[in-house]
Amino acid sequence: MTNQLFQPETTEDLRDIVNEAREQARPLLIQGGGTKTGWGHAPMAGDRVETKKFDGIDLYEPAELVLTAKSGTPISDIEALLADHAQHLAFEPPDFRGLYGTVQSSQTLGGIVACNLSGSRRIQAGAARDHLLGFEAVSGRGEVFKSGGRVVKNVTGFDLSKLMAGSFGTLAVVTSLSVKVMPVPEKTRTLLILGLDEAQAVRAMTKALQSPHEVNAAAYLAATQGRRSSVSYVSGAGQAITALRIQGPGPSVSARLEELYRLLSDAGDIEELHAHNSKILWQEIGNVAPLLPNRTAAIWRMSLPPASSPAVAARLKTLEGAELYLDWGGGLVWLAVPDRGDADAKFVRACLEECGGHATLMRSTEKTKACVPVFQPQSTEIAALTMSLKSNFDPAGILNLGQMG
């Protein structure tokens, strides 16, 4: 039987498609804009369901800080509408189209939430899942269900929103989402400390983040990554960069900047970026590809305790051709290595064993992914819980089968 492409326009159409696939035990590949094709294992071949016709903003109440949109709505449409009202998605979703070579496609709200994407502000604002108020979806059982609502405080029933975010479409196909939005900060400044190594940078970032000055983003770029920035102050520094961002009301930002200068006066030379250049730099840090541009390299995303990142980075840099930078105050490491057939998976994960971190292979060849666990291997207990959830939401195992291993 030839695989088919479905582009349902209503929840009822989608329900019928899922029910038919369930009855025939035919896998369904669920896609939004297709911008992150290449993340995870390739799902088992089957019919493809695109959500792009679930498009449109159904409700936006700026005063209530709530927006409801269909899952296939381009994130660019949402950001444009929010910008007209001086609001934004505070979890700062990154754009991985450069990472996956899908720049001609539009990433969607549903895709952002399905992958639980968030940028550098996560250390303050939380992840995408923390901003999801409610949703409507069709489960692998072919049942339409809803969870949460359109208000910021809603605790009725189980918080399935946390479950859907990061499930990569393996539990249900989301058709509509309600998210919390926030005012755009009045003023943005980024301090750049020049010339530190990873250990010095993590100490400085920790000192700043533990201060009362509300630093909401902290990252470290080695000199190689800094030179790739399109911000001249960064690329022209010729040194490693430790970046610290402060946002908020104008007078507050000015006062906190002064205090940060004093706090970090012994860390090294300090420069300052204003709003425009700050925006560009933090987008580059979140989007990854501008700083790790080798299209043939395998890309790892590692989460670990910030205090452990200097020692882990030192080990990782012994890999031939390795490049890396730190985000989330040292709690996130982005690593590029030549794809030598296994993306150095055993070594990468061994570096994290002692500190309890985990690593995701974000990009590699299909050949490499066929022999390497893309997602961090789960403990027996967590694996059993994952299988139980999958069997409850999708007992026939038809949704994005194999994507998560």
Side-chain angles (χ1 to χ4, degrees):
M1 185 183 296
T2 304
N3 292 334
Q4 300 181 66
L5 168 63
F6 296 104
Q7 295 180 331
E9 298 185 29
T10 67
T11 302
E12 291 71 26
D13 290 342
L14 175 60
R15 179 195 59 199
D16 293 343
I17 291 166
V18 172
N19 271 319
E20 184 176 349
R22 177 180 55 81
E23 291 167 0
Q24 298 177 3
R26 285 179 58 78
L28 292 177
L29 170 60
I30 313 301
Q31 282 190 341
T35 60
K36 291 172 282 297
T37 300
W39 187 353
H41 295 281
M44 185 174 293
D47 296 336
R48 189 162 83 251
V49 178
E50 294 181 347
T51 62
K52 61 178 60 179
K53 291 190 177 179
F54 287 99
D55 182 10
I57 296 167
D58 297 322
L59 173 143
Y60 177 39
E61 297 180 352
E64 300 298 325
L65 302 176
V66 172
L67 179 143
T68 299
K70 294 183 175 64
S71 59
T73 307
I75 202 75
S76 57
D77 291 357
I78 293 171
E79 289 176 334
L81 175 62
L82 293 178
D84 288 342
H85 294 81
Q87 294 183 342
H88 68 159
L89 297 170
F91 58 93
E92 209 167 20
D95 184 348
F96 287 162
R97 289 179 296 176
L99 195 64
Y100 294 112
T102 54
V103 293
Q104 302 304 316
S105 302
S106 298
Q107 58 177 354
T108 63
L109 178 62
I112 290 290
V113 172
C115 297
N116 194 33
L117 290 182
S118 52
S120 298
R121 197 183 282 109
R122 179 171 180 169
I123 57 177
Q124 182 191 64
R129 64 164 61 95
D130 301 305
H131 296 255
L132 180 60
L133 303 174
F135 66 90
E136 178 187 76
V138 177
S139 72
R141 294 177 178 273
E143 299 170 342
V144 179
F145 68 104
K146 298 180 180 181
S147 179
R150 291 176 170 175
V151 295
V152 171
K153 187 175 182 181
N154 188 315
V155 294
T156 303
F158 295 105
D159 192 359
L160 296 181
S161 296
K162 297 290 194 296
L163 195 60
M164 288 298 120
S167 65
F168 287 77
T170 60
L171 301 179
V173 187
V174 176
T175 58
S176 177
L177 307 99
S178 293
V179 294
K180 175 173 61 176
V181 301
M182 296 297 289
V184 173
E186 177 187 320
K187 185 174 182 178
T188 297
R189 293 292 184 268
T190 297
L191 290 189
L192 305 178
I193 309 174
L194 308 182
L196 306 185
D197 60 24
E198 282 90 351
Q200 294 168 329
V202 169
R203 285 196 294 270
M205 289 190 289
T206 301
K207 193 174 184 180
L209 289 167
Q210 291 178 346
S211 76
H213 309 315
E214 298 181 50
V215 173
N216 69 13
Y220 171 79
L221 310 183
T224 299
Q225 279 65 58
R227 282 193 290 269
R228 292 175 180 147
S229 174
S230 60
V231 178
S232 60
Y233 293 98
V234 177
S235 58
Q239 303 180 66
I241 295 289
T242 304
L244 304 166
R245 185 176 63 189
I246 289 182
Q247 295 181 304
S252 170
V253 169
S254 297
R256 285 182 284 142
L257 272 176
E258 271 191 50
E259 293 301 318
L260 263 188
Y261 272 110
R262 292 193 187 96
L263 182 70
L264 301 170
S265 59
D266 60 347
D269 294 335
I270 299 177
E271 301 288 347
E272 184 178 321
L273 297 183
H274 287 208
H276 176 71
N277 284 330
S278 289
K279 180 179 180 179
I280 294 172
L281 176 62
W282 291 103
Q283 284 177 338
E284 292 173 337
I285 291 169
N287 296 351
V288 183
L291 303 180
L292 299 175
N294 184 348
R295 292 292 307 280
T296 65
I299 302 292
W300 287 94
R301 179 182 185 270
M302 290 174 281
S303 180
L304 70 167
S308 300
S309 61
V312 170
R315 290 189 65 188
L316 293 171
K317 288 194 294 185
T318 65
L319 289 169
E320 183 182 353
E323 294 187 31
L324 59 83
Y325 68 92
L326 313 180
D327 199 0
W328 298 357
L332 178 67
V333 177
W334 284 102
L335 169 71
V337 293
D339 196 343
R340 291 177 272 257
D342 63 354
D344 295 297
K346 288 184 179 179
F347 183 83
V348 168
R349 291 198 163 110
C351 289
L352 297 172
E353 284 180 1
E354 188 173 330
C355 67
H358 58 85
T360 301
L361 182 56
M362 297 292 291
R363 188 186 72 194
S364 71
T365 64
E366 290 300 323
K367 183 178 179 181
T368 296
K369 287 190 287 186
C371 60
V372 169
V374 170
F375 296 94
Q376 182 74 19
Q378 297 177 330
S379 67
T380 302
E381 295 79 9
I382 297 298
L385 178 60
T386 301
M387 291 180 65
S388 176
L389 287 169
K390 177 68 172 174
S391 65
N392 274 283
F393 281 89
D394 180 22
I398 60 172
L399 300 181
N400 282 351
L401 182 60
Q403 170 132 22
M404 300 190 76

